[in-house]
Amino acid sequence: MTQPLRIKRFVARPVIVPMSLPLQTSSGAVAKAPLVLIDCETDQGAVGHAYLFSITPAALKPLTAMVGEMSEMLAGDEVLPFEIERKLSQRFTLLGLAGLQRLAQSGIDMAAWDALARARGLPLARLLGGAPKPVRAYNSKGLGIMPAGAAVDEAHKLLAEGFHAAKIRVGRPDARADLDVVRAVRKAVGDGVTLMCDYNQALTVAEAIRRGRMLDDEGLSWIEEPIRHDDYAGCARIAAELSTPIQIGENFDSAFSMQSALSARSCDFVMPDVQRIGGVTGWLRAASLAHAAGIEMSTHLFSEVSAHLLCVTPTAHWLEYVDWADAVLAKRLAIKDGFALPDEEPGNGIAWDEAAVKRFLVG
């Protein structure tokens, strides 16, 4: 009988890595990626990997510490992600199951699933009952708030990396400037390229409807997060008024919040973030909700593990591709002819370049 795989510890290391393209959004600029690298060490030698994006360097230290505290709680336990989730959720209920706690728990979950996959010699998609396959992807690492000419140049660069789709950040003070950029990029790349836009929660409901109507004839695949992420009633009003689909979900902090959004008819598409939704375990629950609702489901960031998750998502839509962890990865996710290509290597596609990790480690 196979011995159960048990947790020795979770190791968390904070790094800050350069981004290949600084990204200016309506809510701020990001030029470096503060990441927490997580390793799930097991008693049988298999080591699972995951990383978290803390957004701001100020969150690196507390997020790393939270993973360390969870590691102490789980040492010696069997690597059973659903049981791990139950134990951590019970322990942190009074603190609240959102914020840094949610991120840390998601990282623990992703690393645990990866350890299981590696111990069994399977890619994550196969461990979850599917198989690695090409998943449609758009390049999201650029096209921030910038003049039209610069946006056109950057769009060509993003598409040249093997993509047929890209996302434009909008939310400039002047709505006409947003429209000019969208039109300039569309004219430059042609109708065969898929374009989306993202307001990063910049608008009021009334302004979102006004601006959305301006964009309704521009052939965008979706308008993302036009208003505050948790204003589901407001999003429902916008979705009812516009013909362009509304996309939300990167800030869902559980399948429960996603269910609330779906019940409110607040969007046409959803795009959970694996580090906010609850890791692989939370993603599986969210995918079931999307399937039941008949709504397309895309990913937010975390391209490597997300590519495997889309392989087992019934209503899989788009992979959001960014390369923000590439500086510390031993192998990058392959992109070809508009698709991301998760492979048959055991695990979730994440392995560290230890020399690079050492270089970018935060003391």
Side-chain angles (χ1 to χ4, degrees), residues 85-163:
E85 183 207 40
R86 180 190 59 79
K87 184 174 185 177
L88 292 178
S89 295
Q90 286 180 343
R91 190 68 61 91
F92 287 99
T93 294
L94 294 180
L95 175 64
L97 302 178
L100 292 183
Q101 186 280 335
R102 171 63 67 185
L103 270 58
Q105 186 170 330
S106 295
I108 292 282
D109 181 271
M110 285 186 276
W113 277 105
D114 190 44
L116 273 179
R118 291 173 186 274
R120 297 181 186 180
L122 295 171
L124 178 61
R126 288 197 181 277
L127 181 69
L128 297 175
K133 59 185 177 182
V135 294
R136 192 167 52 164
Y138 66 93
N139 201 338
S140 188
K141 68 180 184 180
L143 279 180
I145 302 292
M146 61 180 66
V152 167
D153 291 342
E154 192 150 290
H156 285 307
K157 291 177 182 177
L158 297 180
L159 297 172
E161 294 181 5
F163 294 88

